[in-house]
Amino acid sequence: MKSFRRHSATVNAGSMADIAFLLLIFFLVTTTISADKGILRQLPPDDCPTGNCSDVIRERNLLRINLNSSQEIFIEDEVVKLEDIQELVKTFVDNNGLSNCDYCKGDKLAESSEHPTEAVISLSHDALTKYHLFISVQDEISKAFYDLRKRYIKETFNKTPEQITDAEFKMVKKAYPFIVSEVMVKRD
């Protein structure tokens, strides 16, 4: 009798490297790598916008916003909600405390700013403040200035913000300058 001996089946592995390479190329081409997200801010120029940066800011013209490690928001040592920040900033900036601002609509409160060009927002936070809260507070401050500038554009130029020219925008920025001081975080 004849004995049959089976030979083990072999797989040609010569093209395995080519297949692996093609799969690698496929995944590299089809995968999207998310870009880092950050804050869209333009850094201030080297020179001081007010002329002399060693000038002392009067207490009345300074609105202090503090964020603590418990994720609480304080404005002038009083706890406030995130939703209230926009209106509080608008009231502070547009106060017209000296009654010499012809475009201001403020209540002339003694504890708020003298003029929009003098108003400074001081934003400080704790090292353990959540990034989301910090950005949300900055957004509320930006919205307040946008609303003030939008109203100024409507009353002065009878246009929308999208319709004004660069020269008109410079006038708007001069009327309502966005002066926010971010206090550096102290870490242990």
Side-chain angles (χ1 to χ4, degrees):
M1 244 177 141
K2 217 176 180 186
S3 78
F4 289 100
R5 190 176 248 192
R6 292 190 177 208
H7 296 290
S8 61
T10 60
V11 176
N12 183 7
S15 62
M16 289 297 277
D18 293 336
I19 294 171
F21 182 71
L22 288 173
L23 284 173
L24 180 65
I25 296 291
F26 172 76
F27 285 114
L28 285 174
V29 170
T30 58
T31 303
T32 58
I33 300 172
S34 63
D36 292 336
K37 294 181 181 177
I39 304 171
L40 181 61
R41 290 273 189 237
Q42 182 176 359
L43 294 176
D46 288 338
D47 60 333
C48 185
T50 58
N52 186 0
C53 283
S54 63
D55 285 348
V56 176
I57 299 170
R58 293 185 64 194
E59 189 65 33
R60 171 182 188 171
N61 293 323
L62 186 63
L63 180 67
R64 288 185 173 87
I65 301 175
N66 300 311
L67 311 174
N68 68 11
S69 60
S70 301
Q71 313 314 311
E72 295 173 316
I73 304 167
F74 290 87
I75 294 184
E76 300 299 338
D77 299 325
E78 291 184 26
V79 178
V80 296
K81 295 178 189 170
L82 181 65
E83 304 84 40
D84 298 335
I85 293 174
Q86 182 177 349
E87 203 56 44
L88 289 169
V89 169
K90 283 170 37 178
T91 302
F92 175 79
V93 171
D94 203 37
N95 184 48
N96 194 17
L98 295 180
S99 301
N100 62 355
C101 178
D102 56 347
Y103 56 87
C104 296
K105 305 288 185 212
D107 297 329
K108 300 178 177 113
L109 303 172
E111 62 274 359
S112 290
S113 74
E114 297 170 345
H115 194 274
T117 58
E118 301 291 326
V120 176
I121 312 295
S122 175
L123 179 60
S124 63
H125 58 92
D126 188 85
L128 298 176
T129 301
K130 302 270 188 216
Y131 185 71
H132 183 281
L133 179 65
F134 182 74
I135 297 301
S136 297
V137 170
Q138 280 190 335
D139 286 344
E140 292 299 313
I141 295 169
S142 297
K143 287 177 193 174
F145 275 93
Y146 179 79
D147 286 350
L148 290 170
R149 288 176 172 182
K150 183 178 174 183
R151 188 193 73 212
Y152 180 80
I153 291 168
K154 179 69 175 160
E155 292 174 358
T156 306
F157 306 112
N158 198 21
K159 297 180 179 179
T160 64
E162 295 80 23
Q163 295 172 328
I164 62 172
T165 65
D166 289 340
E168 291 169 337
F169 185 63
K170 285 182 182 178
M171 290 175 56
V172 172
K173 284 178 25 178
K174 198 171 198 177
Y176 286 104
F178 186 78
I179 305 173
V180 177
S181 167
E182 293 179 8
V183 180
M184 189 178 302
V185 179
K186 293 181 182 175
R187 298 175 192 241
D188 297 332

